[in-house]
Amino acid sequence: MTTKHPASRPENPRFSSGPCAKIPTFELSKLADAPLGRSHRAAVGKAKLKAAIEETRDILGIPADYKIGIVPASDTGAVEMAMWSLLGARKATMVAWESFGAGWVSDVVKQLKIDAEVREAGYGEIVDMAAIDYDTDVVFTWNGTTSGVRMPNGDAIPADRAGLTICDATSAAFAMDLPWDKLDVTTFSWQKVMGGEAAHGMIVLSPRAVDRLETYTPAWPLPKIFRMTKGGKLIDGIFKGETINTPSMLAVEDYLVALDWAKSIGGLPKLIERANTNAKVLWDFCDRNDWIANLAVDPATRSNTSVCLKFTDDRIKDGAAFAKAVAKKLDDYNAAYDIGAYRDAPAGLRVWCGATIEAADVEKLTLWLKWAFEAVLEEQTEAA
């Protein structure tokens, strides 16, 4: 191999799209206040869980009359809880432009078997959200973690909608300005933009969603971990930190530390700014090089967290093999970990650019991307 690799590697080569990089100031010693070996129902446990909820509300600007709960099974559990508990009261519209959205479609159509219209777009594109009937219950992802495509805003969602909007915002929360008045149910996990530990999800309910829960009973049985009501009333304790099942207090402490860091740097505006700055490094890199491009077709829908890239050089004969070789080479040289495209997505790379990433590391990564591209191309040419 004649191509010489860059002299300087990213300080933190962790660009995984989940679990994502820890906050820049992370140290295990910061978790020393975790009430390990204590019940989450003890006063100290309840106080920590309630603090996680209220700090989340404060940083994200969630309205005071919205309910916030910590729930099992990460964002997946939160989305499933919402769909199983709320859908079926009226027709649904299932919107998908990447693999996780497609998974929600499958669950509703094949498992719940409710009346649903399916709207889909290919990887790199987005469904026309203005063409959707919002008198139906609409389920969608705000940001496609596996496609790098996001909603640019919530303008298409009407204020006078009759149906509920159920939004999977797991790679959008804390990195994008979510319009809470347009979202009735919003879900996310700690492991994405905040770099928290996996396994715990969060669900945010508008007053309209709470009303649906208290006035509608699904035709199917609900597992305990999905139940948010009892006797026709919301189980209010869930939204005060009295979790349905036992949470990891170590993970809770880790999330609280991340929230403290977010506040210390300037809150949501600064989190968004950091993600935008990181993503722009890659966008500009693509603009300067004709062999690589953003998977998102419309620049207005490009994700600022999970940036998906595709190789466009005509000399590449097997796109999937080439992309895997580039990702492996970067991993082997400790320049970037876990940046291969998601298994169901088009061949390419996926680089996490959320707020816990440093722009200087993304800049260094671009040098390594160019080196790896040229090195793998040289190797494949010699092998031909």
Side-chain angles (χ1 to χ4, degrees), residues 54-185:
E54 293 311 317
E55 293 294 343
T56 299
R57 184 188 304 279
D58 181 56
I59 292 175
L60 292 181
I62 299 172
D65 59 349
Y66 279 48
K67 302 288 187 178
I68 306 173
I70 298 170
V71 300
S74 196
D75 177 66
T76 301
V79 176
E80 296 287 7
M81 171 184 277
M83 295 193 302
W84 282 70
S85 299
L86 293 161
L87 294 183
R90 58 176 59 229
K91 184 176 179 179
T93 299
M94 303 299 299
V95 182
W97 53 77
E98 50 96 49
S99 63
F100 287 102
W104 311 144
V105 171
S106 178
D107 286 352
V108 167
V109 173
K110 296 181 180 180
Q111 303 299 323
L112 294 177
K113 295 180 170 58
I114 68 171
D115 183 17
E117 179 181 358
V118 178
R119 297 287 189 93
E120 295 179 296
Y123 280 85
E125 299 182 340
I126 193 170
V127 170
D128 181 3
M129 298 299 288
I132 287 173
D133 180 5
Y134 288 93
D135 285 344
T136 66
D137 292 332
V138 182
V139 181
F140 63 101
T141 55
W142 189 274
N143 180 82
T145 310
T146 65
S147 68
V149 175
R150 67 169 173 178
M151 288 183 59
N153 52 60
D155 293 352
I157 303 173
D160 61 349
R161 61 192 177 278
L164 299 179
T165 51
I166 299 176
C167 175
D168 172 359
T170 197
S171 54
F174 296 104
M176 303 173 198
D177 192 12
L178 298 173
W180 296 105
D181 60 320
K182 301 297 183 75
L183 306 177
D184 294 304
V185 182

Side-chain angles (χ1 to χ4, degrees), residues 8-79:
S8 178
R9 292 172 175 79
E11 292 294 320
N12 184 359
R14 295 170 178 82
F15 296 100
S16 163
S17 289
C20 301
K22 309 296 289 183
I23 59 174
T25 59
F26 178 78
E27 295 176 357
L28 282 174
S29 60
K30 291 181 180 291
L31 307 183
D33 198 40
L36 303 183
R38 294 294 309 275
S39 170
H40 61 293
R41 297 186 179 91
V44 62
K46 287 183 177 180
K48 295 278 189 181
L49 289 160
K50 191 173 188 297
I53 289 171
E54 293 311 317
E55 293 294 343
T56 299
R57 184 188 304 279
D58 181 56
I59 292 175
L60 292 181
I62 299 172
D65 59 349
Y66 279 48
K67 302 288 187 178
I68 306 173
I70 298 170
V71 300
S74 196
D75 177 66
T76 301
V79 176

Side-chain angles (χ1 to χ4, degrees), residues 259-275:
L259 291 170
D260 284 343
W261 169 78
K263 286 189 296 181
S264 75
I265 66 169
L268 183 61
K270 190 64 178 181
L271 294 172
I272 294 172
E273 178 187 317
R274 285 176 64 91

Side-chain angles (χ1 to χ4, degrees), residues 255-331:
Y255 182 52
L256 288 171
V257 168
L259 291 170
D260 284 343
W261 169 78
K263 286 189 296 181
S264 75
I265 66 169
L268 183 61
K270 190 64 178 181
L271 294 172
I272 294 172
E273 178 187 317
R274 285 176 64 91
N276 286 343
T277 299
N278 292 337
K280 191 174 186 300
V281 172
L282 285 179
W283 300 343
D284 291 348
F285 176 71
C286 290
D287 289 342
R288 295 193 305 268
N289 295 276
D290 60 5
W291 49 267
I292 194 167
N294 200 299
L295 185 61
V297 174
D298 181 357
T301 67
R302 292 186 300 200
S303 172
N304 67 345
T305 55
S306 185
V307 180
C308 295
L309 306 172
K310 59 183 179 181
F311 292 106
T312 57
D313 194 291
D314 290 339
R315 292 170 292 177
I316 299 172
K317 303 306 179 186
D318 185 334
F322 187 89
K324 287 180 180 179
V326 169
K328 184 177 186 305
K329 190 169 291 292
L330 292 171
D331 187 290

